Amino acid sequence: YTFHSLSYTLDIYRGVLKPTRSLRDFVLAVSFFPQLVAGPIVRAGDFLPQLAAPPKPQQGRFLWGLLLMTLGLFEKVVLADTLLSGSADTVFSYGGPLVALDSWMGVIAFAGQIFFDFAGYSICAIGAALCLGFHLKDNFRFPYAAIGFSDFWRRWHISLSTFLRDYLYIPIGGNRAGAGRAMINLMIVMFIGGLWHGAAWTFVVWGLLHGFYLAFERLTRLTVGSPGWAQSYSFQLLLGLGTYFAVCVAWVFFRASDFTVASRMLSGMFGGHPHGDALLTTREILQIALVTLCMFAVHWSLRETTIEAAVTRLPVWAVTGIWTFMAGAILLTQGNSNAFIYFQF
């Protein structure tokens, strides 16, 4: 409610949106139920124009909505809850030292879990809205294929990152006052972004760490520029992997309940517990590795396109087979009832 109301108020204040004369339209824009609990954040300027006339049925739109809802539930129920959450919880809740392999696998499992959990919710919300005749913007765009941290935030929780950019980063100066001030502004924005997720210092450190990543990236680009060899596919892939592992290090603070857990995890990840315990079974490790590799393959193959464009290119029999497989997997693994992670924020 707060973000939706703020977007309406601030856009009118900035002169980019005219006030609606319909109380019904305003209430619907603020309280539209599919994405109300965890996003994506829908701006009044994107939603109110769709209320100018009642939605009219369009061929295939309802079916698209159902397909997206199935995909979102598959990501949440099957991938996040069934295949990844158990390993992540086991590692992060363990009170003793862990070997490097188990520490990394626990963090990588959580990196996949939080993506599939949150992206799954967003896709469900977009699909449900589409079934009702409304279009919501994408909230994720294959973020684990990001090349650099600014690219990551253009792909992860897009509605929040653009909200903070337009309503906080740009108003406090953005990059208009020089490189030094721009880096300070990035740290301020990411500090507030971290604090928004919870009143805990671990979230603050997570936000500040991403602020440091963004500031360091900006400084590097100003110093080094964009040499020709940096455009090669091998370098881009290497940079993408580096981005992913740096993001995983930040996820430690996001997932850890306190700094004791975070320090123990980081110490284990970087070889601080050579004689630590090994909790995860071989099956769990292979499971995490397989899901992560498949996720990477999908993200990198689709990083320049959209889900809709990719599905459109597939034959009908392939879409039907994939849809049936996802629906069957959801029915077979629906024993878990974990709440969406972002419900707590």
Side-chain angles (χ1 to χ4, degrees):
Y1 288 112
T2 303
F3 274 110
H4 290 171
S5 301
L6 272 175
S7 75
Y8 177 79
T9 306
L10 293 173
D11 282 350
I12 291 175
Y13 175 78
R14 297 190 305 162
V16 299
L17 180 68
K18 292 183 179 180
T20 178
R21 297 188 178 276
S22 170
L23 178 62
R24 179 202 64 184
D25 289 355
F26 171 76
V27 172
L28 181 57
V30 171
S31 61
F32 188 54
F33 77 89
Q35 38 56 255
L36 184 63
V37 180
I41 301 165
V42 179
R43 299 193 191 185
D46 295 325
F47 192 79
L48 285 174
Q50 300 185 53
L51 305 180
K56 295 181 179 179
Q58 294 180 7
Q59 185 177 4
R61 182 168 61 186
F62 189 80
L63 204 61
W64 265 108
L66 292 179
L67 176 59
L68 289 176
M69 291 177 70
T70 306
L71 174 60
L73 285 172
F74 175 78
E75 291 187 355
K76 163 61 177 172
V77 175
V78 179
L79 299 179
D81 288 351
T82 303
L83 298 180
L84 296 176
S85 67
S87 300
D89 292 343
T90 298
V91 169
F92 276 93
S93 62
Y94 186 64
L98 288 171
V99 295
L101 178 61
D102 282 41
S103 299
W104 273 107
M105 282 296 161
V107 176
I108 289 173
F110 178 71
Q113 179 197 359
I114 194 170
F115 167 73
F116 289 125
D117 189 286
F118 192 20
Y121 177 88
S122 297
I123 294 173
C124 282
I126 293 169
L130 200 60
C131 288
L132 299 173
F134 297 98
H135 293 269
L136 307 183
K137 291 185 176 180
D138 290 341
N139 203 28
F140 289 85
R141 198 171 295 131
F142 311 111
Y144 288 142
I147 301 174
F149 304 104
S150 56
D151 189 30
F152 176 80
W153 282 104
R154 283 192 291 266
R155 297 172 178 274
W156 179 277
H157 203 350
I158 300 169
S159 60
L160 176 64
S161 60
T162 53
F163 190 98
L164 293 175
R165 179 197 66 195
D166 295 342
Y167 299 131
L168 182 59
Y169 178 69
I170 293 176
I172 64 175
N175 55 7
R176 300 189 301 272
R181 179 61 188 180
M183 287 186 279
I184 293 175
N185 291 341
L186 286 171
M187 295 294 291
I188 293 173
V189 170
M190 295 311 299
F191 166 78
I192 294 176
L195 198 59
W196 174 78
H197 286 84
W201 286 110
T202 49
F203 289 121
V204 171
V205 171
W206 172 78
L208 289 175
L209 197 54
H210 271 281
F212 171 78
Y213 290 160
L214 291 166
F216 178 77
E217 180 184 66
R218 180 178 289 271
L219 181 62
T220 302
R221 286 179 175 174
L222 290 173
T223 306
V224 179
S226 182
W229 50 264
Q231 306 305 317
S232 65
Y233 180 80
S234 57
F235 181 81
Q236 299 272 309
L237 181 60
L238 185 63
L239 188 58
L241 290 173
T243 302
Y244 170 75
F245 283 110
V247 168
C248 283
V249 171
W251 281 137
V252 172
F253 292 97
F254 193 95
R255 175 62 177 80
S257 56
D258 52 45
F259 286 121
T260 301
V261 175
S263 62
R264 183 169 62 243
M265 286 294 300
L266 290 172
S267 179
M269 290 163 65
F270 294 101
H273 305 146
H275 304 292
D277 302 323
L279 295 181
L280 301 179
T281 64
T282 302
R283 182 187 64 81
E284 288 176 309
I285 292 173
L286 292 176
Q287 188 171 282
I288 295 168
L290 180 61
V291 173
T292 303
L293 287 173
C294 290
M295 178 183 67
F296 267 124
V298 171
H299 281 213
W300 277 91
S301 62
L302 300 179
R303 69 183 307 274
E304 300 297 342
T305 185
T306 62
I307 294 176
E308 291 78 9
V311 172
T312 304
R313 292 195 297 265
L314 294 174
V316 175
W317 64 266
V319 176
T320 304
I322 294 171
W323 196 345
T324 303
F325 168 76
M326 291 191 299
I330 293 168
L331 292 174
L332 291 174
T333 57
Q334 62 178 335
N336 286 334
S337 58
N338 297 342
F340 287 93
I341 292 175
Y342 263 67
F343 278 13
Q344 64 184 295
F345 307 131

PDB file of all heavy atoms in Angstrom, residues 290-313:
ATOM      1  N   LEU A 290      22.962 -29.586 -10.061  1.00  0.00           N
ATOM      2  CA  LEU A 290      22.168 -29.774 -11.270  1.00  0.00           C
ATOM      3  C   LEU A 290      21.169 -28.633 -11.455  1.00  0.00           C
ATOM      4  O   LEU A 290      21.042 -28.081 -12.556  1.00  0.00           O
ATOM      5  CB  LEU A 290      21.437 -31.120 -11.209  1.00  0.00           C
ATOM      6  CG  LEU A 290      20.555 -31.461 -12.413  1.00  0.00           C
ATOM      7  CD1 LEU A 290      21.390 -31.524 -13.685  1.00  0.00           C
ATOM      8  CD2 LEU A 290      19.820 -32.779 -12.191  1.00  0.00           C
ATOM      9  N   VAL A 291      20.461 -28.272 -10.382  1.00  0.00           N
ATOM     10  CA  VAL A 291      19.487 -27.173 -10.483  1.00  0.00           C
ATOM     11  C   VAL A 291      20.185 -25.866 -10.830  1.00  0.00           C
ATOM     12  O   VAL A 291      19.713 -25.094 -11.676  1.00  0.00           O
ATOM     13  CB  VAL A 291      18.700 -27.030  -9.153  1.00  0.00           C
ATOM     14  CG1 VAL A 291      17.819 -25.783  -9.184  1.00  0.00           C
ATOM     15  CG2 VAL A 291      17.858 -28.267  -8.900  1.00  0.00           C
ATOM     16  N   THR A 292      21.352 -25.617 -10.216  1.00  0.00           N
ATOM     17  CA  THR A 292      22.083 -24.377 -10.473  1.00  0.00           C
ATOM     18  C   THR A 292      22.596 -24.327 -11.905  1.00  0.00           C
ATOM     19  O   THR A 292      22.501 -23.284 -12.570  1.00  0.00           O
ATOM     20  CB  THR A 292      23.251 -24.232  -9.480  1.00  0.00           C
ATOM     21  OG1 THR A 292      22.747 -24.281  -8.136  1.00  0.00           O
ATOM     22  CG2 THR A 292      23.971 -22.908  -9.694  1.00  0.00           C
ATOM     23  N   LEU A 293      23.135 -25.428 -12.394  1.00  0.00           N
ATOM     24  CA  LEU A 293      23.628 -25.464 -13.776  1.00  0.00           C
ATOM     25  C   LEU A 293      22.491 -25.260 -14.774  1.00  0.00           C
ATOM     26  O   LEU A 293      22.648 -24.524 -15.765  1.00  0.00           O
ATOM     27  CB  LEU A 293      24.343 -26.787 -14.045  1.00  0.00           C
ATOM     28  CG  LEU A 293      25.719 -26.957 -13.391  1.00  0.00           C
ATOM     29  CD1 LEU A 293      26.234 -28.372 -13.605  1.00  0.00           C
ATOM     30  CD2 LEU A 293      26.710 -25.944 -13.947  1.00  0.00           C
ATOM     31  N   CYS A 294      21.348 -25.883 -14.534  1.00  0.00           N
ATOM     32  CA  CYS A 294      20.193 -25.686 -15.415  1.00  0.00           C
ATOM     33  C   CYS A 294      19.716 -24.233 -15.362  1.00  0.00           C
ATOM     34  O   CYS A 294      19.363 -23.648 -16.394  1.00  0.00           O
ATOM     35  CB  CYS A 294      19.065 -26.632 -15.020  1.00  0.00           C
ATOM     36  SG  CYS A 294      19.378 -28.374 -15.370  1.00  0.00           S
ATOM     37  N   MET A 295      19.726 -23.652 -14.172  1.00  0.00           N
ATOM     38  CA  MET A 295      19.336 -22.250 -14.035  1.00  0.00           C
ATOM     39  C   MET A 295      20.276 -21.343 -14.817  1.00  0.00           C
ATOM     40  O   MET A 295      19.832 -20.440 -15.541  1.00  0.00           O
ATOM     41  CB  MET A 295      19.341 -21.857 -12.549  1.00  0.00           C
ATOM     42  CG  MET A 295      18.999 -20.396 -12.280  1.00  0.00           C
ATOM     43  SD  MET A 295      19.121 -19.974 -10.521  1.00  0.00           S
ATOM     44  CE  MET A 295      20.903 -20.136 -10.250  1.00  0.00           C
ATOM     45  N   PHE A 296      21.570 -21.606 -14.700  1.00  0.00           N
ATOM     46  CA  PHE A 296      22.549 -20.816 -15.456  1.00  0.00           C
ATOM     47  C   PHE A 296      22.333 -20.960 -16.955  1.00  0.00           C
ATOM     48  O   PHE A 296      22.389 -19.980 -17.698  1.00  0.00           O
ATOM     49  CB  PHE A 296      23.973 -21.257 -15.103  1.00  0.00           C
ATOM     50  CG  PHE A 296      24.598 -20.468 -14.000  1.00  0.00           C
ATOM     51  CD1 PHE A 296      25.092 -21.102 -12.873  1.00  0.00           C
ATOM     52  CD2 PHE A 296      24.695 -19.092 -14.080  1.00  0.00           C
ATOM     53  CE1 PHE A 296      25.668 -20.373 -11.852  1.00  0.00           C
ATOM     54  CE2 PHE A 296      25.269 -18.355 -13.063  1.00  0.00           C
ATOM     55  CZ  PHE A 296      25.753 -19.000 -11.948  1.00  0.00           C
ATOM     56  N   ALA A 297      22.110 -22.182 -17.410  1.00  0.00           N
ATOM     57  CA  ALA A 297      21.921 -22.417 -18.840  1.00  0.00           C
ATOM     58  C   ALA A 297      20.722 -21.639 -19.365  1.00  0.00           C
ATOM     59  O   ALA A 297      20.784 -21.019 -20.440  1.00  0.00           O
ATOM     60  CB  ALA A 297      21.751 -23.918 -19.101  1.00  0.00           C
ATOM     61  N   VAL A 298      19.628 -21.651 -18.611  1.00  0.00           N
ATOM     62  CA  VAL A 298      18.431 -20.923 -19.029  1.00  0.00           C
ATOM     63  C   VAL A 298      18.681 -19.423 -19.012  1.00  0.00           C
ATOM     64  O   VAL A 298      18.330 -18.698 -19.965  1.00  0.00           O
ATOM     65  CB  VAL A 298      17.237 -21.292 -18.120  1.00  0.00           C
ATOM     66  CG1 VAL A 298      16.043 -20.381 -18.413  1.00  0.00           C
ATOM     67  CG2 VAL A 298      16.845 -22.748 -18.321  1.00  0.00           C
ATOM     68  N   HIS A 299      19.299 -18.923 -17.946  1.00  0.00           N
ATOM     69  CA  HIS A 299      19.524 -17.485 -17.828  1.00  0.00           C
ATOM     70  C   HIS A 299      20.433 -16.968 -18.942  1.00  0.00           C
ATOM     71  O   HIS A 299      20.163 -15.913 -19.534  1.00  0.00           O
ATOM     72  CB  HIS A 299      20.117 -17.161 -16.460  1.00  0.00           C
ATOM     73  CG  HIS A 299      19.102 -17.142 -15.372  1.00  0.00           C
ATOM     74  ND1 HIS A 299      19.161 -16.302 -14.278  1.00  0.00           N
ATOM     75  CD2 HIS A 299      17.971 -17.865 -15.194  1.00  0.00           C
ATOM     76  CE1 HIS A 299      18.128 -16.508 -13.490  1.00  0.00           C
ATOM     77  NE2 HIS A 299      17.399 -17.463 -14.021  1.00  0.00           N
ATOM     78  N   TRP A 300      21.510 -17.691 -19.217  1.00  0.00           N
ATOM     79  CA  TRP A 300      22.453 -17.212 -20.225  1.00  0.00           C
ATOM     80  C   TRP A 300      21.899 -17.352 -21.634  1.00  0.00           C
ATOM     81  O   TRP A 300      22.198 -16.528 -22.511  1.00  0.00           O
ATOM     82  CB  TRP A 300      23.791 -17.947 -20.099  1.00  0.00           C
ATOM     83  CG  TRP A 300      24.656 -17.335 -19.044  1.00  0.00           C
ATOM     84  CD1 TRP A 300      24.703 -17.683 -17.732  1.00  0.00           C
ATOM     85  CD2 TRP A 300      25.551 -16.239 -19.200  1.00  0.00           C
ATOM     86  NE1 TRP A 300      25.583 -16.870 -17.057  1.00  0.00           N
ATOM     87  CE2 TRP A 300      26.128 -15.981 -17.932  1.00  0.00           C
ATOM     88  CE3 TRP A 300      25.937 -15.464 -20.283  1.00  0.00           C
ATOM     89  CZ2 TRP A 300      27.059 -14.970 -17.730  1.00  0.00           C
ATOM     90  CZ3 TRP A 300      26.878 -14.455 -20.083  1.00  0.00           C
ATOM     91  CH2 TRP A 300      27.417 -14.216 -18.817  1.00  0.00           C
ATOM     92  N   SER A 301      21.083 -18.360 -21.867  1.00  0.00           N
ATOM     93  CA  SER A 301      20.525 -18.522 -23.207  1.00  0.00           C
ATOM     94  C   SER A 301      19.400 -17.533 -23.489  1.00  0.00           C
ATOM     95  O   SER A 301      19.136 -17.201 -24.649  1.00  0.00           O
ATOM     96  CB  SER A 301      20.005 -19.952 -23.387  1.00  0.00           C
ATOM     97  OG  SER A 301      18.967 -20.241 -22.469  1.00  0.00           O
ATOM     98  N   LEU A 302      18.758 -17.021 -22.420  1.00  0.00           N
ATOM     99  CA  LEU A 302      17.613 -16.127 -22.602  1.00  0.00           C
ATOM    100  C   LEU A 302      17.887 -14.707 -22.116  1.00  0.00           C
ATOM    101  O   LEU A 302      16.950 -13.905 -22.044  1.00  0.00           O
ATOM    102  CB  LEU A 302      16.388 -16.681 -21.862  1.00  0.00           C
ATOM    103  CG  LEU A 302      15.896 -18.070 -22.287  1.00  0.00           C
ATOM    104  CD1 LEU A 302      14.695 -18.489 -21.439  1.00  0.00           C
ATOM    105  CD2 LEU A 302      15.532 -18.088 -23.752  1.00  0.00           C
ATOM    106  N   ARG A 303      19.134 -14.379 -21.802  1.00  0.00           N
ATOM    107  CA  ARG A 303      19.414 -13.093 -21.157  1.00  0.00           C
ATOM    108  C   ARG A 303      19.054 -11.894 -22.027  1.00  0.00           C
ATOM    109  O   ARG A 303      18.813 -10.798 -21.527  1.00  0.00           O
ATOM    110  CB  ARG A 303      20.889 -13.005 -20.736  1.00  0.00           C
ATOM    111  CG  ARG A 303      21.892 -12.905 -21.864  1.00  0.00           C
ATOM    112  CD  ARG A 303      23.321 -12.887 -21.328  1.00  0.00           C
ATOM    113  NE  ARG A 303      23.529 -11.862 -20.327  1.00  0.00           N
ATOM    114  CZ  ARG A 303      23.849 -10.605 -20.594  1.00  0.00           C
ATOM    115  NH1 ARG A 303      23.990 -10.213 -21.852  1.00  0.00           N
ATOM    116  NH2 ARG A 303      24.030  -9.730 -19.631  1.00  0.00           N
ATOM    117  N   GLU A 304      19.001 -12.062 -23.336  1.00  0.00           N
ATOM    118  CA  GLU A 304      18.682 -10.955 -24.235  1.00  0.00           C
ATOM    119  C   GLU A 304      17.254 -11.014 -24.764  1.00  0.00           C
ATOM    120  O   GLU A 304      16.903 -10.288 -25.687  1.00  0.00           O
ATOM    121  CB  GLU A 304      19.655 -10.934 -25.420  1.00  0.00           C
ATOM    122  CG  GLU A 304      21.113 -10.776 -25.037  1.00  0.00           C
ATOM    123  CD  GLU A 304      21.410  -9.451 -24.357  1.00  0.00           C
ATOM    124  OE1 GLU A 304      20.578  -8.515 -24.481  1.00  0.00           O
ATOM    125  OE2 GLU A 304      22.468  -9.340 -23.696  1.00  0.00           O
ATOM    126  N   THR A 305      16.424 -11.896 -24.180  1.00  0.00           N
ATOM    127  CA  THR A 305      15.063 -12.024 -24.664  1.00  0.00           C
ATOM    128  C   THR A 305      14.110 -12.103 -23.473  1.00  0.00           C
ATOM    129  O   THR A 305      14.472 -11.748 -22.359  1.00  0.00           O
ATOM    130  CB  THR A 305      14.927 -13.276 -25.561  1.00  0.00           C
ATOM    131  OG1 THR A 305      13.613 -13.318 -26.106  1.00  0.00           O
ATOM    132  CG2 THR A 305      15.209 -14.551 -24.802  1.00  0.00           C
ATOM    133  N   THR A 306      12.886 -12.549 -23.695  1.00  0.00           N
ATOM    134  CA  THR A 306      11.882 -12.668 -22.638  1.00  0.00           C
ATOM    135  C   THR A 306      11.296 -14.077 -22.656  1.00  0.00           C
ATOM    136  O   THR A 306      11.458 -14.825 -23.624  1.00  0.00           O
ATOM    137  CB  THR A 306      10.745 -11.650 -22.836  1.00  0.00           C
ATOM    138  OG1 THR A 306      10.083 -11.933 -24.087  1.00  0.00           O
ATOM    139  CG2 THR A 306      11.288 -10.230 -22.857  1.00  0.00           C
ATOM    140  N   ILE A 307      10.598 -14.422 -21.570  1.00  0.00           N
ATOM    141  CA  ILE A 307       9.941 -15.726 -21.511  1.00  0.00           C
ATOM    142  C   ILE A 307       8.916 -15.847 -22.627  1.00  0.00           C
ATOM    143  O   ILE A 307       8.809 -16.890 -23.297  1.00  0.00           O
ATOM    144  CB  ILE A 307       9.268 -15.920 -20.138  1.00  0.00           C
ATOM    145  CG1 ILE A 307      10.328 -15.995 -19.025  1.00  0.00           C
ATOM    146  CG2 ILE A 307       8.402 -17.176 -20.129  1.00  0.00           C
ATOM    147  CD1 ILE A 307       9.744 -16.077 -17.640  1.00  0.00           C
ATOM    148  N   GLU A 308       8.158 -14.769 -22.849  1.00  0.00           N
ATOM    149  CA  GLU A 308       7.118 -14.807 -23.878  1.00  0.00           C
ATOM    150  C   GLU A 308       7.716 -15.077 -25.256  1.00  0.00           C
ATOM    151  O   GLU A 308       7.195 -15.899 -26.027  1.00  0.00           O
ATOM    152  CB  GLU A 308       6.340 -13.490 -23.890  1.00  0.00           C
ATOM    153  CG  GLU A 308       5.475 -13.251 -22.672  1.00  0.00           C
ATOM    154  CD  GLU A 308       6.250 -12.791 -21.447  1.00  0.00           C
ATOM    155  OE1 GLU A 308       7.456 -12.483 -21.588  1.00  0.00           O
ATOM    156  OE2 GLU A 308       5.660 -12.756 -20.362  1.00  0.00           O
ATOM    157  N   ALA A 309       8.813 -14.399 -25.570  1.00  0.00           N
ATOM    158  CA  ALA A 309       9.446 -14.592 -26.876  1.00  0.00           C
ATOM    159  C   ALA A 309       9.991 -16.010 -27.009  1.00  0.00           C
ATOM    160  O   ALA A 309       9.893 -16.628 -28.080  1.00  0.00           O
ATOM    161  CB  ALA A 309      10.556 -13.573 -27.079  1.00  0.00           C
ATOM    162  N   ALA A 310      10.563 -16.541 -25.921  1.00  0.00           N
ATOM    163  CA  ALA A 310      11.116 -17.896 -25.974  1.00  0.00           C
ATOM    164  C   ALA A 310      10.017 -18.937 -26.160  1.00  0.00           C
ATOM    165  O   ALA A 310      10.166 -19.883 -26.941  1.00  0.00           O
ATOM    166  CB  ALA A 310      11.897 -18.183 -24.695  1.00  0.00           C
ATOM    167  N   VAL A 311       8.898 -18.772 -25.453  1.00  0.00           N
ATOM    168  CA  VAL A 311       7.802 -19.731 -25.571  1.00  0.00           C
ATOM    169  C   VAL A 311       7.176 -19.655 -26.955  1.00  0.00           C
ATOM    170  O   VAL A 311       6.795 -20.684 -27.543  1.00  0.00           O
ATOM    171  CB  VAL A 311       6.740 -19.473 -24.484  1.00  0.00           C
ATOM    172  CG1 VAL A 311       5.495 -20.322 -24.713  1.00  0.00           C
ATOM    173  CG2 VAL A 311       7.325 -19.757 -23.105  1.00  0.00           C
ATOM    174  N   THR A 312       7.072 -18.449 -27.510  1.00  0.00           N
ATOM    175  CA  THR A 312       6.470 -18.280 -28.827  1.00  0.00           C
ATOM    176  C   THR A 312       7.232 -19.038 -29.900  1.00  0.00           C
ATOM    177  O   THR A 312       6.642 -19.517 -30.882  1.00  0.00           O
ATOM    178  CB  THR A 312       6.389 -16.788 -29.184  1.00  0.00           C
ATOM    179  OG1 THR A 312       5.661 -16.093 -28.166  1.00  0.00           O
ATOM    180  CG2 THR A 312       5.687 -16.574 -30.512  1.00  0.00           C
ATOM    181  N   ARG A 313       8.557 -19.164 -29.726  1.00  0.00           N
ATOM    182  CA  ARG A 313       9.376 -19.853 -30.718  1.00  0.00           C
ATOM    183  C   ARG A 313       9.237 -21.373 -30.657  1.00  0.00           C
ATOM    184  O   ARG A 313       9.635 -22.078 -31.578  1.00  0.00           O
ATOM    185  CB  ARG A 313      10.852 -19.475 -30.548  1.00  0.00           C
ATOM    186  CG  ARG A 313      11.169 -18.024 -30.894  1.00  0.00           C
ATOM    187  CD  ARG A 313      12.666 -17.837 -31.060  1.00  0.00           C
ATOM    188  NE  ARG A 313      13.387 -18.100 -29.833  1.00  0.00           N
ATOM    189  CZ  ARG A 313      13.739 -17.171 -28.952  1.00  0.00           C
ATOM    190  NH1 ARG A 313      13.407 -15.901 -29.168  1.00  0.00           N
ATOM    191  NH2 ARG A 313      14.417 -17.479 -27.855  1.00  0.00           N
TER     192      ARG A 313
END
